Amino acid sequence: MNYSQKKIDISDEKCPVKASLSILGGKWPLIILYQINNRIIRYGELKRSIPGISEKMLIQTLNQLVEHKLVHKKAYPEIPPRVEYSLTNIGYNSLPIIDKLEEFGRAHLL
Amino acid sequence: MNYSQKKIDISDEKCPVKASLSILGGKWPLIILYQINNRIIRYGELKRSIPGISEKMLIQTLNQLVEHKLVHKKAYPEIPPRVEYSLTNIGYNSLPIIDKLEEFGRAHLL
């Protein structure tokens, strides 16, 4: 996109960037979506893939992502219980955002 | 990118996505970068472009973005004081992330 020709509306409640950040902003949602990615991943593996996140924060953020229909949760009635997470189509559509975050981090921060 | 072939490293301190979010995550940094965009913008105009942000949060986030070299601040020795903000090259390179957030918001949230 040619940024010099872009008209910028104010960031009020109709701003799509603000709307996205209301769901995806914060420290963890995009990291969790990035780690699930194209996988069907069990809770334990997901937890291990994100060192530094607390159990409480992981469960809370996962529940929000399920509520917003970005993540699908499947619980199997087994003992011990097995819970698997995967991206919905909407969740999958967040991956291009994460690609750009990855490029930016690699280019400027690491 | 073909996500089905992508190898995903764990999100530890070497993760570029996590590194980007440590600077760009949170409610306001990307909104502020989006609003500055290709403009040289005065503090007052920037404030008006983001309804809902407090003076304290705007100044604090701008200072962090200046510190991380994403935003350039120029203060003119005038009365009343004039302060203008613009993106650095690094800041400019964050705009593709914001484009994707905008696309996602438009497609799924508005």
Side-chain angles (χ1 to χ4, degrees):
Chain A
M1 187 175 304
N2 183 346
Y3 294 106
S4 66
Q5 292 173 5
K6 187 181 164 113
K7 181 181 169 300
I8 306 150
D9 292 316
I10 69 167
S11 288
D12 59 9
E13 70 285 348
K14 285 175 299 199
C15 170
V17 180
K18 194 174 182 188
S20 289
L21 287 172
S22 72
I23 288 179
L24 301 173
K27 195 168 174 187
W28 299 114
L30 288 162
I31 293 279
I32 292 171
L33 294 167
Y34 171 63
Q35 283 296 331
I36 300 177
N37 228 291
N38 62 317
R39 302 187 275 193
I40 297 171
I41 191 169
R42 292 179 69 158
Y43 175 80
E45 192 186 350
L46 182 57
K47 174 98 175 67
R48 282 190 297 279
S49 74
I50 309 173
I53 195 170
S54 70
E55 191 102 6
K56 182 185 166 188
M57 191 53 79
L58 177 55
I59 289 172
Q60 185 182 310
T61 310
L62 276 169
N63 285 342
Q64 287 166 358
L65 292 170
V66 169
E67 190 184 324
H68 289 120
K69 303 190 192 308
L70 280 81
V71 168
H72 178 70
K73 173 182 180 174
K74 178 151 187 172
Y76 294 85
E78 298 175 0
I79 294 167
R82 177 156 65 103
V83 181
E84 288 178 347
Y85 294 93
S86 57
L87 297 188
T88 63
N89 283 338
I90 299 176
Y92 208 76
N93 286 344
S94 74
L95 294 179
I97 302 166
I98 299 167
D99 284 342
K100 295 297 174 189
L101 283 166
E102 192 174 4
E103 281 175 24
F104 183 85
R106 245 184 250 290
H108 300 295
L109 305 174
L110 295 183
Chain B
M1 187 176 302
N2 183 345
Y3 294 106
S4 66
Q5 294 174 2
K6 189 180 163 109
K7 181 181 169 297
I8 307 150
D9 291 318
I10 70 167
S11 287
D12 59 10
E13 71 284 348
K14 284 175 298 199
C15 170
V17 180
K18 194 173 180 186
S20 289
L21 288 171
S22 72
I23 288 178
L24 301 173
K27 194 168 174 186
W28 300 113
L30 288 162
I31 293 278
I32 292 171
L33 294 166
Y34 171 63
Q35 283 296 334
I36 300 176
N37 226 292
N38 62 316
R39 302 188 276 193
I40 297 169
I41 191 169
R42 291 181 70 157
Y43 176 80
E45 192 187 349
L46 183 56
K47 174 96 174 68
R48 282 190 298 279
S49 74
I50 311 175
I53 194 168
S54 70
E55 191 101 9
K56 184 185 167 188
M57 191 52 79
L58 177 55
I59 291 171
Q60 185 181 310
T61 310
L62 276 169
N63 285 342
Q64 287 166 358
L65 291 170
V66 169
E67 190 183 323
H68 289 121
K69 301 188 193 311
L70 278 82
V71 167
H72 178 70
K73 174 181 180 174
K74 177 150 188 174
Y76 293 86
E78 298 174 1
I79 295 169
R82 178 157 63 105
V83 181
E84 289 177 346
Y85 294 92
S86 57
L87 297 188
T88 63
N89 283 339
I90 300 177
Y92 209 76
N93 286 344
S94 72
L95 294 179
I97 301 167
I98 299 166
D99 285 342
K100 294 297 173 189
L101 283 166
E102 193 174 4
E103 282 176 24
F104 183 86
R106 246 184 249 292
H108 299 297
L109 304 174
L110 296 182

